[in-house]
Amino acid sequence: MNNSEPRSLFYANLPNDGRHLENAAYYELKEYRKFLQHARDYQRNEALIRMAWKADGPPLKDKSQWVELTPCPDRRDEPDAAFREFLSCDTDFVFESAPPVDSGERRERRSFFKEEHKIKVLRRDGTMRRLLLGRAPQFPELAVKPNTYPIDKQIEAIDRLRSEPAKEHLPLLRLLQERRFANAKWPGLESVSDPVWRVLTDESRDGTLEQREFVRRALATPDFAFLEGPPGSGKTTAICELILQIVNRGQRVLLSASTHVAVDNVLERIADGNHNEIIAVRIDRRDDEETPESVKGLRLEKFVESERQRLQVYHQKNPRPSLAQALFLRGLDAGTEGERMVERLILDAANLVAGTTIGILQHPDLKSARHTKFAEPPFDMLIVDEASKTTFQEFLVPAIWAKRWVLVGDPRQLSPYADEEELAPNIRACVPQEWKREACLVVAESSHGQVAKEGKVLVSVTEPTQADFLRQQAQARATDLHVAVLNEADLGEDAATALRISEAAVIAGHRDDFARLTAAMPLDIARLSGSFDNVWHRRRAAWLHYAKIDSDEQMLWENEIAWRLAREYEMRWLPEREQMPYDRQIERLLPVDDVGAVREGVRRVSRLALPSVLESLMRGVGEREGARHKTALSNGLDTGVYQSRAIRLGFQHRMHPDISAMPRQLFYQDQALRDARGMTNRRTWTCDCFGDHRAVWFEIQGRDRSNRNEMEARELCRQLDRFLGWTEKCPKSDGQPWEVAVLTFYRGQEALIRDLLNKSGSARTGYGAYARQNPSGTTATIKLCTVDRFQGHEADVVLLSFVQTSKVGFLASPNRLNVALTRARYQLVLFGARHFFATERCNSRLLRELAKLPSNTPTPL
């Protein structure tokens, strides 16, 4: 075999230049695989997912105990992923644990996965975030072993595409190939006849023609199609029409999205339309309580149960069954084997299989080795809703099951969730030496006074080269930072030594030198870096207590870079002059002796972890190190190729025009989110609780502390109660309860408002879910959650708490702010320090513009 021939027979069977495709797949996917391996190793060996708990009622007769999960005191902003791990059906046991303790060197994660700490999980209640445990825990925290199965499947998908691609995967390989090769040229769209429209029947409705054009292009594409749609623009309706058209052609669809609500919305629309030609199966591991009523029967487990019973009844009525029918009936009665037989029949017959990007991993074929054996992908089309929240590696798992791919989403809404704990292992690998990472962090923190104002930093080194690096880093990154290095000449403890130590912000030396110079050491020790005896930890703790410094948490170098990378990416849509200086902050954290390689490694993590697959193909993720040519994944599809396959919806059918005006201007530059005709009349109501404006501020002179603002929370709940009183007198015209969303950007504020709502007169119906009821029924439902969790949802009234009064934080994220402002149908009410956001002290143009909305002054409490 010569060098121009592919090494793999799979690539030899592909058209055109198989060798170049093979090399492209190997090198371009190598980085993704390495990234996932680092994340998996971290989860298996170091990660500890912790939650606090509180008893929900007394122990039951069998000593079992319901417990409600709550964030740990030191992790108030715990991500939803932690709750999902605890409430997952794959979690059969939890482990009781004490909080992390100071080990004498640094605050570390401690695993408590011991047999005596194991507690059986008997039941789950996802709506209330509760677990029924086999016994009451004895320690204040619970822990679970992280589930690496999703990462395992992403690695398997990458290996499949690299080593054993089907010919139908050629478009996926083209994303990775240099554009200069002939087979990287994308074909034109095929010719298809205009379909008979099933859902998009009213062409006079604003936006229908755009939706129809998307369906046409999706039917005609030989590879990819794209639908961009701002909030309320009809993406779900267009997806439903496309599914019906695909199924009517005798083909099969795989539907996936990052959230349950997106998948359920499509399935509910199809169920409501009585489209009997669709056999839909929902793949997930949720409890029934968390599933909409109209979707419950589609869940695979329920579907198998009901279909098995139906088949048994049907065949038992047959007085003279044939041999085949008798054998079939015997198989149905064969316990687990009968269930598997029916499950196989359903999965093979289904022409629509749906699940979240995590839930779809529960597909029986994907959980077994079967998915690696298909001669060709079993689905004709994969539709990914919320593709703007799905990474490329997440996309690949269902993508290898399909022959064509449709990506639907809005790049101006939230991007894939980036957990700094998942980014950190890959960032840490850029600088393997712990002492060097610590030195970079010490210099960066001390250079802008973060530590120096609280006290001095003591750094324990084991060899002179470490002290030399610390000096070198300080000279390059913080010219005014005084670093004192202890050596043999200091052992006399003379006055000059004491003076030099007292003037230094950072003091470095061997632990033996610190022991000999104990008397000369300062008392104001704010941070210890490296290995120190317990006496130094006690001295530090005493100083922190004396100085009334609340936080004893010491951040890690990799985490400091991780959160800045995520924030920097959130600002990507802003003009450069408006972006926060996160890039300069990251640069200050990099080691000066190998800055180029480390910088490229950090940027590689950003390229692999943060962009969505939709945005990658629109704009690219950036070129990998050493790449000589552009690819569709690194630099985006050619403009002509993308535009021929993409449609952007322009009209919104959700918000009153007063609500849509600001986000249309701020985030879409008046090019989308246009109001459909008649929106003002469709959002007419008689409520005067919030004044004459549909988007209005309640300016609160509160004070924020630890991402909580009590005055804002109390005023929000007071205004909510006023509105709930109005709903009792003015029911909704369609007979349904009024829907209210209480949103905030911070989990600390969410917890504060939850405590207030729990004490209110509203009935609690779930975790963060409430209802106002009177003798005639429910007049309003209330949903409390963070902005990030509410993407994909909408409500009649949205009450939004900003919390911050003197800084911006991540409020300035355009995507997050866009989601927050576009959820309401009738009324948007903003609670916050409008006076601060309106001033030049607020360094966010978006918030300054938002502060121009009219304001109400609340009456005194």
Side-chain angles (χ1 to χ4, degrees):
M1 181 179 292
N2 60 50
N3 289 335
S4 64
E5 294 176 335
R7 292 180 290 269
S8 166
L9 290 176
F10 288 92
Y11 283 91
N13 288 329
L14 296 178
N16 299 320
D17 198 344
R19 177 57 185 273
H20 287 300
L21 285 169
E22 188 174 27
N23 288 340
Y26 177 81
Y27 288 107
E28 294 296 327
L29 293 175
K30 181 179 180 181
E31 287 186 328
Y32 285 94
R33 197 182 197 285
K34 186 176 180 180
F35 173 84
L36 292 170
Q37 283 180 310
H38 277 302
R40 181 174 64 181
D41 291 345
Y42 167 77
Q43 289 193 19
R44 286 179 175 176
N45 302 320
E46 300 180 52
L48 177 65
I49 301 177
R50 299 183 288 119
M51 298 292 292
W53 63 274
K54 59 183 180 181
D56 191 1
L60 304 182
K61 291 182 179 179
D62 59 356
K63 306 300 183 183
S64 61
Q65 174 71 61
W66 278 105
V67 300
E68 179 182 331
L69 301 173
T70 63
C72 296
D74 63 328
R75 291 181 63 92
R76 291 187 182 275
D77 292 334
E78 193 71 59
D80 282 336
F83 287 97
R84 286 198 299 268
E85 288 286 351
F86 273 88
L87 295 166
S88 169
C89 291
D90 294 322
T91 300
D92 296 321
F93 296 93
V94 296
F95 295 80
E96 57 184 348
S97 67
V101 297
D102 199 324
S103 67
E105 299 201 3
R106 79 150 54 119
R107 186 174 169 84
E108 296 179 340
R109 299 178 183 87
R110 288 182 55 195
S111 176
F112 294 85
F113 301 135
K114 299 178 181 179
E115 195 65 28
E116 60 266 30
H117 294 152
K118 182 189 291 187
I119 306 177
K120 177 71 174 177
V121 177
L122 304 177
R123 286 183 60 191
R124 303 162 188 82
D125 181 359
T127 60
M128 302 294 286
R129 291 189 173 180
R130 299 189 307 163
L131 294 175
L132 179 61
L133 302 181
R135 62 174 174 83
Q138 303 302 309
F139 292 99
E141 294 183 1
L142 300 173
V144 294
K145 293 182 178 180
N147 179 17
T148 63
Y149 177 64
I151 296 181
D152 293 337
K153 290 303 174 182
Q154 291 173 30
I155 292 175
E156 283 184 17
I158 286 174
D159 290 343
R160 170 66 194 267
L161 192 60
R162 289 174 77 185
S163 305
E164 302 177 1
K167 66 179 185 299
E168 290 83 4
H169 294 151
L170 183 59
L172 294 176
L173 296 172
R174 284 199 182 106
L175 300 178
L176 311 169
Q177 192 180 23
E178 298 172 6
R179 291 175 173 173
R180 64 192 178 102
F181 292 111
N183 64 337
K185 294 180 179 178
W186 297 85
L189 301 188
E190 301 168 359
S191 176
V192 295
S193 58
D194 212 32
V196 176
W197 302 107
R198 307 291 304 283
V199 179
L200 302 173
T201 56
D202 184 3
E203 63 180 32
S204 65
R205 183 177 184 268
D206 287 336
T208 296
L209 297 182
E210 296 170 337
Q211 294 169 310
R212 286 183 175 183
E213 183 57 27
F214 156 71
V215 173
R216 291 188 188 97
R217 295 189 187 189
L219 295 174
T221 185
D223 36 62
F224 288 90
F226 307 90
L227 178 63
E228 294 181 57
S233 59
K235 296 186 292 292
T236 300
T237 303
I239 290 173
C240 291
E241 180 69 68
L242 177 59
I243 290 172
L244 288 166
Q245 297 298 334
I246 292 291
V247 168
N248 285 339
R249 284 163 169 74
Q251 298 177 342
R252 305 180 72 207
V253 178
L254 179 61
L255 171 68
S256 186
S258 61
T259 63
H260 288 295
V261 65
V263 177
D264 291 340
N265 282 345
V266 174
L267 294 177
E268 285 185 292
R269 293 277 190 91
I270 289 176
D272 290 344
N274 295 318
H275 301 294
N276 297 325
E277 68 270 39
I278 291 185
I279 304 174
V281 176
R282 178 70 156 92
I283 307 291
D284 65 19
R285 293 295 299 272
R286 294 180 295 174
D287 293 325
D288 270 354
E289 294 85 355
E290 304 172 71
T291 307
E293 197 63 37
S294 59
V295 177
K296 285 183 179 179
L298 302 180
R299 296 180 62 231
L300 180 59
E301 294 81 1
K302 289 287 186 180
F303 204 155
V304 169
E305 179 184 343
S306 61
E307 189 64 11
R308 183 183 182 185
Q309 292 176 356
R310 187 188 69 80
L311 289 170
Q312 285 175 322
V313 170
Y314 176 81
H315 285 285
Q316 286 169 354
K317 289 180 179 179
N318 188 353
R320 296 181 180 180
S322 66
L323 178 61
Q325 290 171 331
L327 291 173
F328 182 68
L329 181 59
R330 188 183 306 169
L332 290 174
D333 295 334
T336 302
E337 288 301 318
E339 290 180 0
R340 290 176 181 170
M341 181 174 68
V342 176
E343 179 182 84
R344 185 75 264 151
L345 288 171
I346 292 172
L347 290 175
D348 289 342
N351 49 26
L352 173 60
V353 176
T356 64
T357 51
I358 296 296
I360 204 70
L361 301 178
Q362 301 301 324
H363 194 291
D365 292 349
L366 192 55
K367 295 184 73 172
S368 70
R370 178 185 170 92
H371 75 286
T372 64
K373 304 300 182 183
F374 54 72
E376 65 178 42
F379 291 92
D380 298 279
M381 180 172 285
L382 166 66
I383 301 174
V384 182
D385 196 4
E386 293 187 328
S388 49
K389 293 182 68 177
T390 305
T391 64
F392 176 70
Q393 51 269 35
E394 290 172 332
F395 160 75
L396 275 186
V397 178
I400 62 173
W401 279 31
K403 304 170 186 176
R404 291 182 292 163
W405 305 269
V406 173
L407 305 183
V408 180
D410 181 8
R412 300 285 180 169
Q413 295 188 60
L414 289 172
S415 302
Y417 172 70
D419 185 352
E420 67 183 50
E421 294 292 338
E422 295 180 2
L423 299 180
N426 281 278
I427 296 173
R428 182 172 57 196
C430 300
V431 181
Q433 306 94 328
E434 183 179 359
W435 62 266
K436 184 177 286 190
R437 299 195 300 269
E438 279 287 299
C440 292
L441 181 58
V442 163
V443 170
E445 287 185 335
S446 302
S447 64
H448 57 274
Q450 182 172 331
V451 175
K453 67 182 180 182
E454 300 176 348
K456 298 185 184 299
V457 182
L458 272 55
V459 181
S460 174
V461 299
T462 58
E463 52 187 63
T465 55
Q466 296 178 8
D468 293 340
F469 173 80
L470 182 63
R471 274 202 189 108
Q472 180 187 5
Q473 187 75 8
Q475 290 170 358
R477 302 296 189 201
T479 55
D480 59 344
L481 180 64
H482 186 183
V483 177
V485 178
L486 307 179
N487 52 49
E488 291 295 328
D490 295 323
L491 299 184
E493 299 189 29
D494 55 20
T497 298
L499 179 62
R500 184 161 61 88
I501 290 174
S502 66
E503 292 178 344
V506 179
I507 306 167
H510 193 276
R511 62 189 299 171
D512 294 339
D513 296 337
F514 283 110
R516 295 187 185 99
L517 291 169
T518 300
M521 287 297 108
L523 297 177
D524 56 335
I525 303 172
R527 181 185 175 105
L528 296 173
S529 175
S531 177
F532 282 89
D533 295 329
N534 284 333
V535 62
W536 295 101
H537 289 276
R538 289 195 292 270
R539 288 181 65 170
R540 173 175 177 263
W543 167 253
L544 295 176
H545 177 74
Y546 172 79
K548 297 181 179 179
I549 298 173
D550 295 333
S551 175
D552 190 24
E553 188 74 18
Q554 293 186 184
M555 291 298 294
L556 301 178
W557 175 83
E558 54 267 32
N559 292 79
E560 288 292 290
I561 290 182
W563 75 260
R564 287 178 169 88
L565 277 181
R567 296 290 184 275
E568 180 186 54
Y569 188 74
E570 289 177 352
M571 304 297 171
R572 66 196 180 280
W573 292 105
L574 295 176
E576 187 173 346
R577 66 183 182 278
E578 297 179 19
Q579 295 182 13
M580 307 296 179
Y582 294 117
D583 57 339
R584 296 197 295 274
Q585 295 176 19
I586 292 171
E587 191 72 16
R588 282 202 300 265
L589 285 159
L590 304 184
V592 295
D593 62 340
D594 195 20
V595 65
V598 177
R599 184 190 297 120
E600 171 56 32
V602 168
R603 293 302 168 188
R604 178 173 60 249
V605 174
S606 178
R607 291 197 306 271
L608 300 179
L610 301 179
S612 69
V613 61
L614 176 61
E615 197 165 345
S616 298
L617 300 188
M618 288 176 59
R619 299 165 29 125
V621 300
E623 299 169 23
R624 64 178 174 84
E625 183 182 12
R628 296 175 297 169
H629 301 278
K630 298 177 179 179
T631 69
L633 189 59
S634 66
N635 296 82
L637 288 165
D638 288 331
T639 302
V641 173
Y642 181 81
Q643 290 181 348
S644 69
R645 290 160 166 77
I647 286 293
R648 187 185 197 185
L649 302 179
F651 293 92
Q652 70 88 13
H653 297 264
R654 173 185 298 168
M655 294 162 271
H656 187 281
D658 289 354
I659 301 174
S660 62
M662 184 64 75
R664 177 168 58 249
Q665 171 195 345
L666 292 181
F667 310 115
Y668 299 96
Q669 293 74 49
D670 294 321
Q671 299 301 307
L673 208 70
R674 300 190 300 274
D675 300 318
R677 286 171 292 182
M679 284 307 301
T680 300
N681 293 333
R682 288 159 58 187
R683 295 295 177 253
T684 298
W685 69 348
T686 61
C687 179
D688 59 357
C689 297
F690 309 108
D692 298 329
H693 302 283
R694 296 300 188 94
V696 63
W697 282 94
F698 273 77
E699 188 162 349
I700 310 299
Q701 305 292 331
R703 181 182 179 186
D704 65 279
R705 177 177 295 178
S706 300
N707 294 335
R708 298 158 71 97
N709 189 315
E710 186 171 353
M711 189 174 292
E712 259 186 46
R714 291 190 179 279
E715 181 59 32
L716 184 151
C717 289
R718 190 171 75 125
Q719 297 299 332
L720 171 62
D721 195 59
R722 289 183 62 215
F723 176 73
L724 294 178
W726 177 85
T727 65
E728 294 183 349
K729 303 172 185 176
C730 302
K732 203 172 177 182
S733 59
D734 61 3
Q736 297 298 313
W738 290 97
E739 297 176 358
V740 183
V742 177
L743 305 182
T744 180
F745 297 91
Y746 298 97
R747 291 192 180 279
Q749 186 75 347
E750 179 191 18
L752 179 58
I753 296 174
R754 183 182 301 113
D755 289 342
L756 295 175
L757 291 179
N758 287 342
K759 299 172 184 176
S760 70
S762 298
R764 189 181 180 196
T765 59
Y767 187 84
Y770 305 85
R772 174 59 64 94
Q773 299 170 337
N774 62 20
S776 62
T778 299
T779 63
T781 60
I782 305 101
K783 178 65 177 177
L784 165 68
C785 65
T786 60
V787 170
D788 287 33
R789 282 168 44 215
F790 207 67
Q791 178 164 322
H793 297 260
E794 57 186 276
D796 296 317
V797 176
V798 170
L799 310 180
L800 176 63
S801 174
F802 281 77
V803 178
Q804 301 295 350
T805 60
S806 59
K807 64 179 182 179
V808 170
F810 59 42
L811 299 181
S813 164
N815 295 51
R816 181 172 289 109
L817 202 56
N818 185 23
V819 172
L821 300 179
T822 54
R823 303 301 100 193
R825 303 185 191 105
Y826 288 83
Q827 181 74 55
L828 172 65
V829 189
L830 312 177
F831 296 84
R834 177 176 173 268
H835 55 284
F836 163 67
F837 297 134
T839 66
E840 290 300 321
R841 290 187 299 121
C842 172
N843 57 359
S844 167
R845 178 186 61 87
L846 297 177
L847 291 172
R848 291 197 301 271
E849 289 293 323
L850 188 62
K852 294 178 181 179
L853 288 174
S855 173
N856 278 344
T857 301
T859 56
L861 292 173

